[in-house]
Amino acid sequence: MCGIVGYVGNSSRPAGAGHGALDVVLEGLRRLEYRGYDSAGVAVVADGAISSRKKAGKLGNLLGELEARPLPESLTGIGHTRWATHGGPTDGNAHPHLADGGRLAVIHNGIIENFAELKQQLLAKGVEFSSETDTEVAAALLGDIFRNQLGGDSSKGSLTEAMQLACQRLEGAFTLLAVHADQPGVVVAARRNSPLVVGLGEGENFLGSDVSGFIDYTRRAVELGQDQIVTITADSVEITDFFGAPAEGKEYNVDWDPASAEKGGFNSFMEKEIHDQPDAVAQTLLGRSDLNGKLTLDELRIDPELLKQVDKIIVLACGTAAYAGLVAKYAIENWCRIPTEVELAHEFRYRDPIVDANTLVVSISQSGETMDTLMAVRYAREQGAKTISICNTNGSTIPRESDAVLYTHAGPEIAVASTKAFLAQITAAYLLGLYLAQLRGNIFTGQIKDVLADLSKIPAKIQKILDNSGPLRELARSMKDEKSVLFLGRHVGFPVALEGALKLKEIAYIHAEGFAAGELKHGPIALIDEGQPVFVVVPSPRGRDSLHSKVVSNIQEVRARGARTLVIAEEGDEAVRDYAEHVFYVPETPTLLMPLLTTVPLQIFAAELAGAKGYDVDQPRNLAKSVTVE
Ligand code: M6R
């Protein structure tokens, strides 16, 4: 939550390549806006002073403000796009916040938990506050230390030293960036349990919440550790801990190009990302098995002997990623015969879970920064569990703090509603399940080879669904005034139903619920009234027959009570036709792999319907892409 950018250069960039600090910072904010869009603001250091602008609402509002009231040319700047925690989304609560008589500007992501106590101390010293934010308290603390404790010394290191002293007093999770008028050409940043990466340029350096903050300018990035402070100038990057001891970051190259984070001719990132899915699955499969069908997940780097001893798997994740975990459970238990639990990460550590050295914890996260998931992984490690992260974001915190990582290669996912990351997470979970089964000898190599062959056909099948989505889109548009849509599924179709409902809720603001079809008669069927739309994800008739016929019975049951039945079924399943108002067919595929196909029509439905309502499908209200606070 919240996007943060910092920049220092030593000469103006060539025209057209982001001219001064402001251009670079605004371009970074444009790319990071998916992290929060309640307000945006910038500050630059120029002519011995701080100049800043900030505005409630999306980045466009700030751009309008900058046009009306331009900022001076500068080579040092910071920028922020906000997801509100403390204080509503107003101009006054927007970042940057100023302190030290307007000579210091601070932006912040996270929550300062002891802000009330610090505020009292600062009020007692006569400091005045104009916002309701915890950020303004952090800024005031930093300003007070810089001016009163360090005597306003403007030597190069003093802002860094002030940041170190401030961080020693801050509790909670935060990324802070600061610039001071007395130290032009310097941005100082700190991180604790909140994301921050450094971008390395030639005669310029960058800071970002993630690499998209500077991907237009450099692919060289540095990962920072927890509780570190980084000071950038145009020519240097210096890292310390909160007590001033020198520290090192880990340099890496960003392997995606900026074009992959553009809309590519689609109306929205979400639509583009839905269309990226054949590639996201193909890339996630790439290079992970040999021609004989042997899985080669060398990157896992956990002693295979330890993995053989695992007697329980716990999958931890939130939201869509947790639904990928539910699919993983069906596959892993089927192939590996290891009991597998799936738990929402925010519930996990508060219930005294039973975890030991033979427990394998698999976390799933697109961003790798979800605070709930990170905290759950830390807890599991403390209890002695082995931890594997399935993650889409290179260099992010969760994989860094896990024993091993299996990266999904979906490319950057910008739309808040997760689509391609979900399919890539499921794909990676299948690979992990097959790998464990291979290692432990649960299934024959031939079977693994068959599943891999089936997986390799998935991208073309997704493409077929995308190419034939016209009638589904038409239906979605016609349903834009619906008040409620229900989703039913069974076996691996159950998490698909949950995901279909979540997509509709989050981008179309329509009440939507997903149910296990077998649960209908235990309560939810009471919701069915004349005209109630119900999506039903039907299992293959070729798999477990009993399940297919049971779900067909469920369709009849809701239809008999007036529901409009919208059915997702496998090609060739004629049995559903008589009971469905609309049938959307997906290509034949083995039951366990079906979610990679049946999810796609539900994503398309939600995106099309939300678009027809005139909503911004990429930036739905109240949400942010990465939930980096608990
Ligand atoms: O980055 P993560 O995968 O850890 O995010 C988890 C959830 O916040 C995320 O999947 C969320 O539910 C999406 N907005 C759903 O579309």
Side-chain angles (χ1 to χ4, degrees), residues 270 316-323 364-374 390-393 398 413 415-419 421-422 425 499 502-503 506-507 620 623-627:
M270 184 177 179
L316 297 173
C318 300
T320 289
Y323 300 151
I364 306 182
S365 174
Q366 188 286 132
S367 61
E369 300 292 351
T370 299
M371 182 59 82
D372 293 312
T373 309
L374 173 63
I390 292 179
C391 184
N392 196 42
T393 310
I398 296 172
E413 191 179 67
V416 166
S418 187
T419 53
F422 180 61
Q425 286 160 354
E499 173 62 3
L502 178 59
K503 285 291 90 86
E506 69 177 333
I507 60 169
L623 292 172
K625 182 72 180 161
S626 309
V627 183

Side-chain angles (χ1 to χ4, degrees), residues 456-492:
S456 72
K457 293 179 196 146
I458 293 285
K461 292 178 182 178
I462 298 173
Q463 191 58 51
K464 190 173 175 192
I465 298 170
L466 295 171
D467 292 344
N468 296 312
S469 61
L472 174 66
R473 290 177 187 278
E474 200 178 310
L475 173 76
R477 289 193 295 272
S478 75
M479 288 176 62
K480 72 181 177 51
D481 296 320
E482 290 296 341
K483 296 279 173 280
S484 158
V485 181
L486 304 180
F487 294 77
L488 300 180
R490 193 153 187 162
H491 191 255
V492 287

Side-chain angles (χ1 to χ4, degrees), residues 277-322:
Q277 293 185 114
D279 202 42
V281 172
Q283 291 298 324
T284 301
L285 291 171
L286 198 70
R288 279 163 163 170
S289 59
D290 65 20
L291 290 174
N292 302 319
K294 186 161 186 270
L295 278 144
T296 47
L297 302 186
D298 301 339
E299 66 219 89
L300 274 188
R301 287 196 202 103
I302 292 188
D303 181 354
E305 290 310 312
L306 290 178
L307 290 177
K308 284 184 192 166
Q309 284 157 27
V310 165
D311 59 14
K312 177 164 77 171
I313 293 177
I314 302 179
V315 182
L316 297 173
C318 300
T320 289

Side-chain angles (χ1 to χ4, degrees), residues 4 56 109 170 183 197 207 235 308 310 447 464 589 609:
I4 279 188
N109 172 28
L170 296 177
Q183 287 191 236
V197 254
L207 295 164
D235 306 306
K308 284 184 192 166
V310 165
Q447 280 173 280
K464 190 173 175 192
T589 228
L609 191 149

